[in-house]
Amino acid sequence: LFCNAFKHPAVRDVFLLHASEILDGLAACSAADAKAPARLALATVILNISVAASLPAAAEVAAQAISAGSELLLSAPVEDVDSRFRCLLALGTLAAASAESKSLAADLGLGDVAAALAVSG
């Protein structure tokens, strides 16, 4: 469901209108014991939001997306490569979108997390 949420502008607009609620509903997917497909769904939502970060509706939930991405990145098992990759890509995209997002990502220590992930593979 979430992988194609931004394919059509009308669906994207509805999704962004409810992005905060969607992220809230998927918050449990960042838990270490969450199933891999649930973590992938959350990572995909965060990635979709990051791609639309230049739109005002996406900018409004950028901080929430960064926070959710941080939780997911820190709790995802090493073998969950797809979720971790999508999450890293989304967090980098969000950090590049605005100074506020970059500052929040730095405050959460995501630069150190990314460096540690690069070393660990």
Side-chain angles (χ1 to χ4, degrees):
L1 175 67
F2 296 121
C3 64
N4 291 321
F6 281 38
K7 185 174 182 179
H8 301 286
V11 177
R12 181 194 62 223
D13 293 344
V14 172
F15 183 98
L16 288 173
L17 184 64
H18 299 286
S20 181
E21 293 89 355
I22 292 169
L23 285 169
D24 286 343
L26 291 172
C29 297
S30 66
D33 62 346
K35 303 272 188 211
R39 287 191 303 270
L40 189 59
L42 176 57
T44 301
V45 165
I46 297 166
L47 182 59
N48 282 339
I49 291 170
S50 75
V51 169
S54 63
L55 301 173
E60 291 175 13
V61 295
Q64 186 178 2
I66 290 170
S67 179
S70 172
E71 289 292 321
L72 178 61
L73 196 56
L74 293 172
S75 65
V78 173
E79 53 277 348
D80 192 355
V81 177
D82 290 337
S83 294
R84 290 172 57 200
F85 176 75
R86 286 184 194 201
C87 194
L88 278 171
L89 183 60
L91 291 170
T93 302
L94 285 165
S98 74
E100 295 85 15
S101 293
K102 184 176 183 178
S103 177
L104 177 59
D107 289 347
L108 292 172
L110 292 177
D112 297 335
V113 172
L117 289 174
V119 170
S120 70

